[in-house]
Amino acid sequence: MRAITGGVVSSEPCSLRTAALFLIRFSKSAASHLPSSDCHTYLRTVTDATRQLGRFRKELGARQLQGDANFDAHGYEDPVDGRRRHQDQESEGGMSVAADGSHRDSAAGAELDLASGKKKAKKKKKNENPQEDRAVARADSHIPPSPEIATEKRKKKKHPNKEIIVDVKVEEELVSEKKKSKKKKEKFHVKLEEDVNAVEEKIVNGSEERVARTERERKKKKHEQEEGRTEVVKEEKTIADGDLDIEKKRKKKRDRGDIYDNGSELENQEMEKSRILIIGGTGHIGKHIVTASVRLGHPTAVLTRDSAPSDPAKAQLIKSFVDSGAAIIKGDVLDHGSLVKAVKSADIVISAVGPRQVGEQTRIIAAIKEAGNVKRFVPSEFGSDVDRLHTVDPAASLYAVKANLRRLIEAEGIPHTYISCNCFAETYLPSIGDVTAIRAGPPATKITVLGDGSAKAVFVVENDIAAYTMRAVEDPRTLNKILYMRPPANVLSHNELISMWEKKTGRTLQKEHVPEEDILKWIKEAAFPLNILLSLGLSTFVRGEQANFDIDLSVGVEATQLYPDVAYTTVDEYLNGLI
């Protein structure tokens, strides 16, 4: 179309109507089937020829006007008198003037002027000296006329009235041609206006149709969104009311070893799965995330410094990853090249590095920015909400690093989800919440209680943390938000946890309460890892910072409300496994 339109306007600028005329005539001609380059040449030729014809007509009209002006200048106002006067001059002086008043030859003009002057002199001196007049006439008769005048005289003698007749005919033809041309122009303008109206009507109709289609799509999308919100409200209401049927179904699934509803599994299988890269996959929470990712059918890769470690337990863990279908990528967070290469192979990056490597996650952020393909990043937090924790060192410094990482991720514009899973059940429940006896097993007679034991804490089993995490990484509802995990049955105070255990075992434990001021002294004197466990315990079991606030839905969502089909393990069920 650019070649065709260029053919119309390439020589000289033209009006929109003229361009439309050329394009309409061109579309109806056989030339419209030519290649674009030939169409361009054809239209340029036609356009230039049309313009030349227009110029020729203008010049012809100008010449006619000039002829009329010359005709009037010589006094031929009346055609009849002018013809008589013209003939008399020719017969008397040999003058020849074309009827259209065109310019005379220079030599012939001189002779005509001489003859005219002599004629006037004759008339003046006619009565004075007739003999002299006859002598002058005899002398004039001997002046040889020019060839042009002689030829013109012969023509006039044969056809004296031909020129006037021809002029009248030509004038009539011109008038007739002007009328025909005017009628053609009127027909053309009418036809052009009809074509333009037709095109405008098509454009208007097409625009109206597009607007109507867009409106239908908008209404359909709005209806789907309203249905989705209705379903979410129904699910939230069901969980809030503590529906017994759902709890029974969850219990049956746990008895069978199922974590997800069959319907959800089928839905997940039908969806295209994102590629997952897990950094720190051999750590405490990382190994559970690898298992959950593979189970959901994601192409899963684990970044590890050593694909064949000397530690038998770690080697066995990596072998289990490979056997389950996960890929092992050799690389290191400290090696930027290998890190970028690994990140480029994934859609979602999950960091599960331990406390000592939390600060190195800035390198992961830099690799994600360079790769430019990551759809979601989950940094290693997996604990209390880092923006709500208020404690002392060493936990305060650790959580300050995590908070700074949040600000860096947000500043870089990286899509993210933060995981606030609160207490690892496998870390705190075996000691029945005694942070001074982690990994020592259930207490026999005594138990240490930080504070008065009334603050609420939240306990989530690691398998459930991994399950909720993997459900959230592709969920648009968790994009750029905090995923809080607060299973209703697992929000307990330390006193409630101890009482539950005592009922199951039939033994009463002796409680040793430690006030906050003594805890602060103890933290300063204790070595790692007890000092960090005590500082975390101060926030969790004394100040109750995991459950003492309502979730702001503009920045966070709650996992069990988003995914009610996930059958989480309750504290009561976990404790049954310890007996």
Side-chain angles (χ1 to χ4, degrees), residues 42 95 121 152 165 283 368 534 538 561 572:
Y42 172 83
M95 183 177 68
E152 194 66 28
I165 294 170
I368 289 173
L534 287 170
L538 176 65
Q561 293 183 7
D572 184 71

Side-chain angles (χ1 to χ4, degrees), residues 74-92:
H74 285 82
Y76 295 96
E77 298 177 359
D78 182 68
V80 178
D81 294 341
R83 182 171 62 251
R84 290 192 190 121
R85 216 175 300 169
H86 179 70
Q87 291 172 357
D88 292 343
Q89 289 174 356
E90 284 181 338
S91 61
E92 293 178 8

Side-chain angles (χ1 to χ4, degrees), residues 205-238:
N205 292 339
S207 300
E208 291 177 351
E209 184 179 351
R210 286 194 297 272
V211 170
R213 185 168 59 251
T214 304
E215 183 66 17
R216 288 195 299 270
E217 292 176 356
R218 187 188 66 79
K219 289 182 178 179
K220 182 180 178 181
K221 186 175 181 180
K222 183 178 180 181
H223 179 67
E224 291 175 353
Q225 290 176 347
E226 289 177 352
E227 287 185 346
R229 283 196 293 268
T230 302
E231 291 297 324
V232 171
V233 170
K234 287 181 179 179
E235 290 177 359
E236 291 178 352
K237 186 176 183 302
T238 301

Side-chain angles (χ1 to χ4, degrees), residues 285 289 350-355 358 361 377-388 398-407 409-410 416-422 424 465 481-484 536:
I285 191 63
I289 295 174
I350 302 174
S351 174
V353 298
V358 165
Q361 290 182 108
F377 175 47
V378 179
S380 181
E381 292 189 0
F382 300 104
S384 300
D385 184 355
V386 301
D387 289 328
R388 291 183 174 274
L398 174 63
Y399 272 72
V401 173
K402 291 182 178 182
N404 290 335
L405 284 169
R406 279 190 180 185
R407 305 293 87 80
I409 291 168
E410 293 160 3
H416 59 270
T417 298
Y418 305 135
I419 306 297
S420 178
C421 61
N422 299 306
F424 289 157
I465 294 172
K481 289 190 175 183
I482 305 168
L483 180 68
Y484 293 99
L536 289 173

Side-chain angles (χ1 to χ4, degrees), residues 11-29:
S11 297
E12 294 180 11
C14 63
S15 65
L16 179 59
R17 246 176 227 282
T18 304
L21 171 63
F22 283 124
L23 292 176
I24 290 170
R25 289 183 177 176
F26 172 75
S27 64
K28 295 179 180 180
S29 68

